[in-house]
Amino acid sequence: MCLCGLRLKKHIIFHILYIIVSPLCPAFLKRVNFYKAHRSKKARCAVIGQLSSWSFVSLSPTSDSVSVQNVAPECPSIPYGERVDCFPHPDQKCLERACCWSPVDEANVPWCFFSKNHGYSVVSENIEARLTRMDAPSLFGADIKELIFYAEMQTENRLRFKITDANQARFEVPHEHVQAPSSPPTGPLKYRLELIQKPFGLKVWRTSPEKLLFDTTIGPLVFADQYLQLSAKLPSHNIYGLGEHVHQTFRHDTNWRTWPIFTRDSFPNGGTHNLYGHYPYFTCLENESGQSFGVFLMNSNAMEVTIQPAAITYRTIGGVLDFYILVGDTPEAVVDEFTQLIGRPFIPPYWSLGFQLSRWDYGSLDELKKVVERNRQIGLPDVQYTDIDYMEDKKIFTYDMEKFKELPQFADYMHENGQKYIVILDPAVSTGKRLNGPYEALDRGHAAKVWVTEPDGNTPLIGEVWPGETVFPDYTNQACVDWWVDEISRFHKEVKHDALWIDMNEVANFVQGSSKGCAENKLNYPPFTPRDHIICSSTPFSQSTNRSMVFTRSSFPGVGKYAGHWLGDNAANWNDIKWAIPGMLEFNLFGVPYIGADICGFFDDSPEELCRRWMQVGAFYPFSRNHNAQGYKDQDPAAYGADSLLVKTSKHYLNIRYTLLPYLYTLFYKAHVNGETVLRPMMHEFYSDSETWGVHNQFLWGAHLLITPVLDPGVENVEAYIPDAIWYDFEKITDRKEKVNLNLPADKLGLHLRGGAILPAQRPDITTTYSRRHPMRLIIALDDNNAASGELFWDDGESRGILEELVLYLRNLELELGKNYTVNWQDKYRNSRHFDCYPEAGSDQAKCEARGCIWEPSNVPNEPWCYYPDTHGYITSNVVETASGITVDLERNTAFPSQRSQSRDISKLRVEITYLSGKSLRWKIFDPSNARYEVPLPLDLPAMPETEENNRLYRVQINNKPFGIQVIRKDTEEIIWDSAVPGLTFSDQLLEISTLLPSNYVYGFGETEHPIYKHDLNYHKYGLFTKDQPPGHKLNSYGVHPFYMGLEKSKYAHGVLLLNSNAMDVTFLPTPALTYRTVGGILDFYMVMGPTPEAVVQQYTEMIGRPVLPAYWSLGFQLCRYGYSNDAEIADLYRDMKAAKIPYDVQYADIDYMERQMDFTLDKVNFKGLPALVDNMRAEGMRFIFILDPAIAANETKGSYPAFDTGFETDIFIKWPPELSNDIVWGKVWPDYPNITVDNSLDWDTQVELFRAFVAFPDFFKSSTAEWWAQQIKDFYNNVMKFDGLWIDMNEPASFVHGTVGEKCLGDPALENPPYMPRKGLNHKTLCMNSEQILADGTRVKHYDVHNLYGWSHTKPTYDALLSATEKRGVVVTRSTYPSSGRWAGHWLGDNYSAWDQLLNYISLYVFFFSSDSPFPRVFQTGADICGFFNPAQYEMCLRWMQLGAFYPFSRNHNTINMPRQDPVAWGPEFAAISRDVLNIRYTLLPYLNTLMYEAHAHGNTVVRPLLHECFYDCCLLICHLFCFVKGVSVVRGYVPNARWYDYHTGEVVGVRGQFMNMDTPLSKINLHVRGGHILPWQKPENNTHYSRLNPLGLLVALDDGGSAHGSLFWDDGEGIGKLCMFVSVCVQEWESRGM
């Protein structure tokens, strides 16, 4: 049954959910009522929590303004500079508006200005104020009578206030980053707000010293449907920002200038018209103190801003008035505040800081290469572009197959010389066909319905751009985003490129509105049109694409988080070289530091002098690109002649740029981290000097490099201002704090270094690729105190989203002027590529060199002193490539001696690489001459390999000496496996291989306790060998999972499994790199390609087997303890849990229920009544699980213990090899000798010796053993006691003696203690390694090889036996696991400790088991023992653990003998009540959890999901658990991913996304959040699932930003075998007037 695509009208959604959800969420009723009162056609309503935490109140209905006539204006006597223009529109008359008319002689002063009659008055005031419009004539009609004003003190430095309609929702900018802080300010506010009653106004004051910053009482508030106006008086004339326009000066002219703001494809020719971007933001410098503030109006409608003497007026035609006032002590501090609000700038790739070359219309690829070659000859440039001329008829996602036939190879041509290639993309898509067939990008867009439409919502809007008739992508539609990303990916595979340049995205259209023109309506022709605007609302809106390197023409505050910008289509004239500097300075204020202008001008021919001067200054643009237009002369530097003065001076200053690129790159890092400007106005550094306030023809790089260009023709002397500091002109100290006349001849530009600076530098080269290979150096300029300091940020220069960073601080250097110094520093892990040649203890130089290795002591902890030479390993002797893989023969490099004489080297090896599928591959390294043990684990592999190269996400390269395999992701060209490093070893008892990793982000390997989910790669080693070892730091525990998931620099993910079951260890290196060492078998690797973390898990579990689907009841809460004294204690517990009404489904019995801890027996003294109790509990819907250990007691009287007797008769126990002995390998575990009394006062070893019986271990590889085991279980079920699940423990296998009774293992001692020991003594607390086991096919193997598989071999027979005995699917819980164990069982994380730190560690472990490791990503249920197994629990800790454990997939409270009880009813009523509440939430959501389990079983999806996975794709329920880790904490700081989230408890929308927030966490609460866009099935909880499943099902719907949600429900009888009954998929979408 499938209901996918169900669409409901909004009122239907609410009525359905009112019935279903209101019992769950008491706050829901008021939200429904709110919706009914306020729904409108354009309203969007999230089912859970439409109201924000602001708690708006409902007021009286909105109405248009009533005509008011004959109002006598009350005209104030005010200075001319405070007049606010009442006549911005020529179609009205002054007095009709009740405004004041007073002509004056001064230019630009308005003659018609507002009277006191206009505005609003405050009629109620609390946290918010209700405003009512005063009686006055309307300016443009449709005035809104009642408004709400709300102010929010967001931080110590940030005030937000918003004014909107009190009764109708209005459009607000859906900014992804601008969010309310997660917690209120903790420090004193640097501002205060004063509210004026009538007419309404507000005053924002700085508190110290007290100063009025923003005063709206200068003019009235006007708020009509399509005309909003607000004016404010400012404390100074120093206003900077507002855009995007051509501003001839950086500081605004305040003499009544009006600037329209509306994105538009318009030439920046020097007028006041609006350009490409929309930036209603400015900074105001108050005075010489440097104190400044910023003002941001978050409104994206068309607007204009008038600047008059010390005041500003905003006029916009829609939205709301949403202001942010940012207070800072300096101008830089204000930029910091603004970028905190809108998003920090991205760090551009290092190569993008190089010089770049472009033009529109090279004509052909041949001509383009000529330009590239002639500039290569003179040593330029770094990056080459192609404009739209590379396309076929200007169609995006195509290339001209005649003129640009070889374009797919052009990137490789550039890369060969260390250069990069960038292509342009416009948003508009041609409606025409391609020359030789269909236009597939267009067709896929039609199919996905991605276009902006006509008002009917179906017909694509047709416009005209470069290719002719076009349609426009609607990027607000997720389907469009998916289509766009897919098309870019497809095109990148066809034409490789390094970055994207997106143009024409205002969005530009060559016709007004559409091919049909603009309809006559108030949206296209509003009653007020801001000056210089052309408005047509049918024009689509485009958003910049979030990619690693994007340049965009149109932008809005926050775009700098993703993209850079250039200043548009300028011209080759001296005016445009001037205004580029204010333009770039403004974009640094706007949070877009990667900014530049087209060097030498876009339009017109560029004269040599102009281009020469522009190349000089352009060498210091952050984005340095020479670009010109079609039809004009070439202006690349080489076009002026290789020996020209232009080329010489260009190279001179570009060499300086490249020398200082480490400094520039560090500035971008600081912009990204701290919000600092890169291209910096002089007044930001020298604000106390008023002479700097108006400087706009000079600029700084950061704080220390001053650039003074020549900006006029025929000029060689420039008046420059030198601020108050020591400045170095590379030869002499210049003047300071005065204007100086710089002599700058034709080849010179003013360049000065400020004293006090240490600038990182590097010898320049032709490209950044080559310059980065040179050593670093420092340029030091001492200040007045003969001191200097500096910083360096350094990473690989191109990582996307992952910063591999090194920040170096240089301080307190004592230097003598005039001398040269060398400062040496080294990476802490400078030798991190040194692979350990002597990992054993006791290395020294002699031993090291005896292995042919290199000895080099180091003071870095754990760094190897003995490491392999570069060529150590094996050499390729024969490579055979086929369509399905590669075969390689290897020979050991005999130039190096054998590593270990006790372990014979195997000189000849074979490598088989198989392309399993497009997303998976295998490489196997083995001895071709002698068969070695291989893991008998059946993997689900494709029937046929993938032979079509284009279908594979990867390619494989072979390195010859040393041999190595490189796996390369074709999409990104990133090497994700690289074993072409020294150290490959293949001997009888040691196999070693290392690989470089693509990033430091590695997850997996186990089972070991990791402090955090992500591995620390600083030389940490982890053993992988199953052992009865309670979890501890870096100790190998119960299971073995040689699988890891790695993230790549591109954020893609992959997974690698080493299918080897011998004892091994893995060592991480900070390179980053990884070394495997194993003591046997072969090297058998499998890789899955993702590319997302979730896809990695899906592909991995498809290979090893999907997890079992658990019985529904096993998702309920479970109780257990080792140490129940009798059945009465269990009965009392059950009675108390029922009385407390705590949901509870499963009761366990540990080994206490057995007679002397022997399997398949019952203690008939203390637990005589247990079978009846079990029957009674099961009759009331409860379930029972018993423990079984594998070891079988052997000292019973023959005939009294059938389990041993029949096992012995059928020869199912592990024995010695026949050549050594025919005896069983005896051990000791829990069973006691008969007829003894255990003296617990004795030490443990003595108790084991005196009281523990001999035991035999079944060999579960044998089919006869599985039959015997199944019969014992069935007999127990039928004859002793019923049960619903089985818990198998001690199956590592664990023994209380080392090896065997007597601790003398027979056979080869090298198997017990191999030459290389991953851990101390392999037989410690387990069987002898010489023990023999027999595989199902009859192959005899050593326990040495299969020890790690014992628990795995135990699991399937147990699962099969359970199903056979109960005829229901039940559940098996196992302690020891190996990849694929999850096909049959769940897992718990072992015998943990009752301690706060264990909470954190176990989250890492169970996320590991569910998300990135073998059976466990698919071990259906994983959880830790709630409240801890060992040690007494503490009240608060146990309560917090109960809250967290309520969301473990396997939720069980369990502790050990002789410890106090810790079940929920053991602590008192408060503890019981809190436990009941949180478990009720679990039980409410069990249908959702059960569905997740089904999706894991069917598709391999994760259930418990780390944010790492959620950041890529889906996650519906976010559990904030961080508070659990520290005692006494009531507020937790948790991360809220970038999506709409709802508070589960209140239904409110969380006003934060993509950032951390503080969450109140009293002792009674765990934070739960539901992600928008998802539908969660739920059910009213009861005492157990038997009763809760009888209740009706409900849906919890949380709409996303687009007003839609989807979800699914799996439902069956909960325990049937192979009877999967129903899967329902539901999609809910707002749809106004259409039916089902």
Side-chain angles (χ1 to χ4, degrees), residues 1142-1430:
I1142 298 174
Y1144 159 47
D1145 260 88
V1146 184
Q1147 178 63 53
Y1148 283 70
D1150 207 319
I1151 57 176
D1152 322 286
Y1153 80 89
M1154 302 176 182
E1155 179 185 345
R1156 292 180 286 113
Q1157 298 85 240
M1158 295 192 304
D1159 281 355
F1160 309 117
T1161 67
L1162 179 67
D1163 180 347
K1164 296 181 180 179
V1165 175
N1166 297 310
F1167 288 87
K1168 180 180 180 181
L1170 185 58
L1173 174 62
V1174 170
D1175 290 342
N1176 291 337
M1177 292 174 67
R1178 295 177 79 234
E1180 295 181 0
M1182 290 291 292
R1183 308 291 175 148
F1184 225 92
I1185 293 178
F1186 294 96
I1187 195 170
L1188 287 176
D1189 293 341
I1192 303 298
N1195 292 106
E1196 303 305 301
T1197 303
K1198 186 174 182 179
S1200 66
Y1201 187 33
F1204 179 78
D1205 293 343
T1206 56
F1208 185 81
E1209 292 167 3
T1210 53
D1211 194 23
I1212 57 91
F1213 297 119
I1214 294 175
K1215 293 182 174 182
W1216 298 106
E1219 64 271 19
L1220 299 179
S1221 170
N1222 288 321
D1223 201 3
I1224 292 171
V1225 181
W1226 301 110
K1228 289 195 173 192
V1229 197
W1230 288 114
D1232 291 337
Y1233 286 122
N1235 305 315
I1236 56 95
T1237 301
V1238 176
D1239 184 354
N1240 291 313
S1241 68
L1242 299 176
D1243 66 88
W1244 176 254
D1245 289 339
T1246 302
Q1247 289 186 50
V1248 170
E1249 180 182 357
L1250 297 179
F1251 308 129
R1252 299 290 179 253
F1254 282 39
V1255 296
F1257 293 88
D1259 182 358
F1260 289 101
F1261 283 118
K1262 292 182 176 182
S1263 56
S1264 57
T1265 306
E1267 294 169 2
W1268 164 83
W1269 184 249
Q1271 189 61 50
Q1272 304 309 307
I1273 290 172
K1274 180 174 281 189
D1275 289 347
F1276 187 78
Y1277 182 84
N1278 291 328
N1279 302 325
V1280 180
M1281 195 160 37
K1282 296 294 186 286
F1283 51 83
D1284 301 279
L1286 292 172
W1287 168 26
I1288 50 177
D1289 193 10
M1290 306 293 287
N1291 53 351
E1292 291 72 31
S1295 179
F1296 295 163
V1297 295
H1298 306 319
T1300 186
V1301 176
E1303 302 188 356
K1304 292 183 179 180
C1305 292
L1306 306 181
D1308 185 358
L1311 296 185
E1312 311 300 333
N1313 294 281
Y1316 176 77
M1317 290 286 293
R1319 47 155 288 186
K1320 182 180 179 180
L1322 297 188
N1323 60 30
H1324 184 264
K1325 292 180 67 176
T1326 190
L1327 296 178
C1328 293
M1329 296 297 109
N1330 279 280
S1331 305
E1332 183 178 82
Q1333 294 189 245
I1334 302 174
L1335 302 182
D1337 64 1
T1339 301
R1340 295 176 180 272
V1341 293
K1342 302 291 189 187
H1343 189 72
Y1344 177 86
D1345 292 313
V1346 298
H1347 169 86
N1348 287 336
L1349 298 179
Y1350 192 84
W1352 174 83
S1353 69
H1354 185 200
T1355 303
K1356 185 178 185 300
T1358 305
Y1359 180 70
D1360 292 342
L1362 174 70
L1363 268 59
S1364 176
T1366 66
E1367 298 182 350
K1368 295 179 180 178
R1369 68 175 178 255
V1371 61
V1372 173
V1373 182
T1374 181
R1375 191 166 76 170
S1376 185
T1377 56
Y1378 189 81
S1380 82
S1381 292
R1383 300 175 73 163
W1384 310 293
H1387 174 67
W1388 89 105
L1389 296 176
D1391 298 340
N1392 57 357
Y1393 291 87
S1394 184
W1396 286 93
D1397 67 318
Q1398 295 280 287
L1399 286 160
L1400 173 61
N1401 293 344
Y1402 278 87
I1403 288 170
S1404 299
L1405 276 171
Y1406 81 74
V1407 167
F1408 157 68
F1409 275 117
F1410 255 92
S1411 304
S1412 62
D1413 224 7
S1414 221
F1416 310 142
R1418 307 331 329 152
V1419 168
F1420 75 88
Q1421 286 177 311
T1422 302
D1425 283 346
I1426 295 170
C1427 299
F1429 182 72
F1430 291 119

Side-chain angles (χ1 to χ4, degrees), residues 110-337:
W111 292 8
C112 181
F113 58 97
F114 277 100
S115 67
K116 293 182 179 180
N117 305 75
H118 287 268
Y120 286 74
S121 59
V122 178
V123 295
S124 66
E125 180 181 356
N126 196 349
I127 297 176
E128 57 198 30
R130 174 182 168 186
L131 313 180
T132 299
R133 188 175 183 273
M134 296 165 57
D135 290 337
S138 174
L139 273 65
F140 300 104
D143 293 285
I144 294 174
K145 181 68 174 177
E146 293 177 328
L147 304 176
I148 285 288
F149 166 86
Y150 182 84
E152 185 179 23
M153 287 65 175
Q154 293 195 336
T155 72
E156 290 87 344
N157 303 310
R158 184 200 307 167
L159 166 69
R160 180 190 187 187
F161 69 85
K162 185 169 80 169
I163 303 171
T164 187
D165 190 332
N167 301 296
Q168 292 289 340
R170 293 176 62 85
F171 171 75
E172 298 185 28
V173 178
H175 201 293
E176 70 166 24
H177 195 274
V178 176
Q179 304 289 337
S182 57
S183 58
T186 56
L189 301 180
K190 293 185 179 180
Y191 56 85
R192 65 177 176 87
L193 177 64
E194 178 184 353
L195 203 63
I196 310 302
Q197 299 279 331
K198 187 173 181 179
F200 162 78
L202 62 94
K203 295 181 179 181
V204 181
W205 297 79
R206 179 184 289 277
T207 55
S208 180
E210 186 165 278
K211 178 187 287 286
L212 183 57
L213 303 182
F214 194 81
D215 180 5
T216 70
T217 62
I218 192 175
L221 166 65
V222 181
F223 204 116
D225 185 41
Q226 288 188 272
Y227 182 79
L228 289 69
Q229 175 177 311
L230 188 72
S231 303
K233 186 176 180 180
L234 306 175
S236 87
H237 290 257
N238 299 318
I239 301 171
Y240 309 86
L242 301 172
E244 179 176 8
H245 316 101
V246 171
H247 296 150
Q248 300 292 345
T249 61
F250 180 47
R251 180 171 61 175
H252 273 283
D253 177 359
T254 58
N255 188 24
W256 305 94
R257 303 293 297 274
T258 296
W259 300 96
I261 301 178
F262 188 68
T263 62
R264 179 182 172 194
D265 176 15
S266 181
F267 301 137
N269 58 15
T272 61
H273 56 272
N274 43 299
L275 294 175
Y276 316 105
H278 184 106
Y279 286 91
Y281 169 81
F282 70 85
T283 294
C284 180
L285 173 67
E286 300 164 32
N287 51 38
E288 290 87 348
S289 69
Q291 290 186 325
S292 307
F293 67 96
V295 178
F296 174 40
L297 170 57
M298 180 99 110
N299 182 296
S300 60
N301 290 82
M303 70 174 69
E304 68 179 27
V305 178
T306 296
I307 300 175
Q308 62 193 69
I312 187 169
T313 295
Y314 297 87
R315 303 180 187 95
T316 182
I317 64 169
V320 302
L321 295 176
D322 192 1
F323 279 92
Y324 292 83
I325 311 295
L326 314 168
V327 180
D329 291 332
T330 66
E332 277 292 293
V334 174
V335 178
D336 175 21
E337 286 291 330

Side-chain angles (χ1 to χ4, degrees), residues 639-668:
Y640 291 87
D643 297 324
S644 65
L645 181 61
L646 183 146
V647 166
K648 290 178 180 177
T649 189
S650 297
K651 287 193 64 176
H652 174 71
Y653 286 107
L654 286 172
N655 275 338
I656 294 176
R657 176 190 182 91
Y658 277 57
T659 298
L660 296 176
L661 280 188
Y663 171 59
L664 180 61
Y665 194 52
T666 301
L667 293 179
F668 273 104

Side-chain angles (χ1 to χ4, degrees), residues 1335-1603:
L1335 302 182
D1337 64 1
T1339 301
R1340 295 176 180 272
V1341 293
K1342 302 291 189 187
H1343 189 72
Y1344 177 86
D1345 292 313
V1346 298
H1347 169 86
N1348 287 336
L1349 298 179
Y1350 192 84
W1352 174 83
S1353 69
H1354 185 200
T1355 303
K1356 185 178 185 300
T1358 305
Y1359 180 70
D1360 292 342
L1362 174 70
L1363 268 59
S1364 176
T1366 66
E1367 298 182 350
K1368 295 179 180 178
R1369 68 175 178 255
V1371 61
V1372 173
V1373 182
T1374 181
R1375 191 166 76 170
S1376 185
T1377 56
Y1378 189 81
S1380 82
S1381 292
R1383 300 175 73 163
W1384 310 293
H1387 174 67
W1388 89 105
L1389 296 176
D1391 298 340
N1392 57 357
Y1393 291 87
S1394 184
W1396 286 93
D1397 67 318
Q1398 295 280 287
L1399 286 160
L1400 173 61
N1401 293 344
Y1402 278 87
I1403 288 170
S1404 299
L1405 276 171
Y1406 81 74
V1407 167
F1408 157 68
F1409 275 117
F1410 255 92
S1411 304
S1412 62
D1413 224 7
S1414 221
F1416 310 142
R1418 307 331 329 152
V1419 168
F1420 75 88
Q1421 286 177 311
T1422 302
D1425 283 346
I1426 295 170
C1427 299
F1429 182 72
F1430 291 119
N1431 298 340
Q1434 299 172 351
Y1435 182 95
E1436 181 184 353
M1437 184 214 65
C1438 189
L1439 184 54
R1440 290 301 196 189
W1441 209 328
M1442 278 295 301
Q1443 291 171 332
L1444 177 61
F1447 297 94
Y1448 286 175
F1450 172 39
S1451 183
R1452 183 181 74 166
N1453 182 311
H1454 178 215
N1455 71 325
T1456 190
I1457 195 168
N1458 298 324
M1459 292 295 118
R1461 279 177 53 186
Q1462 61 186 38
D1463 51 82
V1465 290
W1467 300 92
E1470 180 191 45
F1471 192 108
I1474 295 172
S1475 299
R1476 178 179 62 247
D1477 291 345
V1478 72
L1479 286 171
N1480 273 334
I1481 296 174
R1482 177 188 180 92
Y1483 275 63
T1484 297
L1485 296 174
L1486 280 189
Y1488 172 58
L1489 179 59
N1490 187 55
T1491 302
L1492 293 179
M1493 293 292 182
Y1494 168 76
E1495 291 175 344
H1497 173 71
H1499 310 297
N1501 299 356
T1502 52
V1503 177
V1504 170
R1505 191 166 303 178
L1507 294 190
L1508 164 69
H1509 288 221
E1510 186 268 341
C1511 288
F1512 278 79
Y1513 287 113
D1514 172 51
C1515 181
C1516 301
L1517 185 66
L1518 175 64
I1519 304 165
C1520 291
H1521 52 254
L1522 300 181
F1523 70 87
C1524 297
F1525 308 151
V1526 181
K1527 181 178 180 180
V1529 168
S1530 60
V1531 176
V1532 55
R1533 189 162 181 80
Y1535 184 75
V1536 180
N1538 189 13
R1540 176 183 284 192
W1541 292 89
Y1542 300 87
D1543 187 312
Y1544 178 88
H1545 303 290
T1546 67
E1548 303 288 346
V1549 176
V1550 177
V1552 168
R1553 58 178 68 190
Q1555 60 184 317
F1556 284 88
M1557 67 176 285
N1558 289 340
M1559 305 175 191
D1560 289 332
T1561 313
L1563 193 57
S1564 60
K1565 177 185 177 184
I1566 184 171
N1567 285 288
L1568 298 176
H1569 297 88
V1570 181
R1571 185 178 183 180
H1574 294 275
I1575 302 174
L1576 275 58
W1578 65 272
Q1579 207 167 28
K1580 183 175 178 293
E1582 300 290 350
N1583 273 14
N1584 60 49
T1585 57
H1586 173 76
Y1587 296 106
S1588 66
R1589 283 177 58 89
L1590 301 177
N1591 292 329
L1593 288 163
L1595 300 178
L1596 193 63
V1597 181
L1599 299 185
D1600 61 15
D1601 293 334

